[in-house]
Amino acid sequence: SLVTRCAARQNTATRPTLNECVSSAHGQYVALLTAGDAYEPDRIELMTRMLSMSGSRWGFSGIRFMDVHGRRLRYGDNAAVDTLMRRLDEIHEERPATAALLQFNHALASGNLVCERRLWDELGGFREDCADPCWDFCVRASLAAAPAILFEPKYAHRIRDAETDSHVRMPPTAQ
């Protein structure tokens, strides 16, 4: 099978981590889908094709946001999400995507990442002892290869109330 399912449960002492889930998976690419979030039906196909054709080793897609009930959030629906959307739009500025990732996690969530399994293994996956393992992974992956970015919103990220503040924060050096 092309899909390995592993539930990384939160708030339990014995939960498998996302790294443990990936270690039990097989295949050329790693794509994580976190609880409550969703992919468009063609996302995996488009992302893996884009990685293969571009020669990049990792990447992410555009994002659309949902509230806790799964309703799509648009500009004006939620102030914190508006800030996130403006920050995500900054990746279109004239600078390399790698430089943009030093200032803000444009992938935004671990579920939006798709990367070669070899790259995941080379980098040791997520460092779970850091404040934002996804952002840390993106910065380390950028040192190995520039990301491939599918600008279409193929990843739907569910915003939980406590989460919006952590996504909007700036890195410590930029505050």
Side-chain angles (χ1 to χ4, degrees), residues 9-89:
R9 293 175 186 25
Q10 294 181 342
N11 301 324
T12 63
T14 60
R15 75 176 194 275
T17 66
L18 290 174
N19 288 335
E20 290 167 336
C21 289
V22 171
S23 71
S24 68
H26 305 283
Q28 181 179 356
Y29 296 102
V30 170
L32 307 166
L33 180 60
T34 51
D37 293 351
Y39 290 161
E40 293 293 322
D42 59 350
R43 182 178 191 275
I44 298 291
E45 176 188 355
L46 290 173
M47 290 295 302
T48 56
R49 187 180 331 144
M50 184 179 65
L51 291 177
S52 177
M53 291 175 65
S54 71
S56 187
R57 301 183 67 195
W58 74 287
F60 51 91
S61 72
I63 300 171
R64 67 179 174 81
F65 296 96
M66 303 179 291
D67 66 15
V68 294
H69 304 292
R71 291 182 297 248
R72 185 175 185 168
L73 295 171
R74 300 178 189 277
Y75 275 111
D77 291 342
N78 178 300
V81 171
D82 291 351
T83 300
L84 286 173
M85 287 192 262
R86 280 191 296 278
R87 296 299 312 271
L88 290 170
D89 286 345

Side-chain angles (χ1 to χ4, degrees), residues 127-138:
R127 291 187 204 162
E128 296 185 25
D129 61 342
C130 46
D132 190 336
C134 175
W135 194 358
D136 173 74
F137 182 86
C138 291

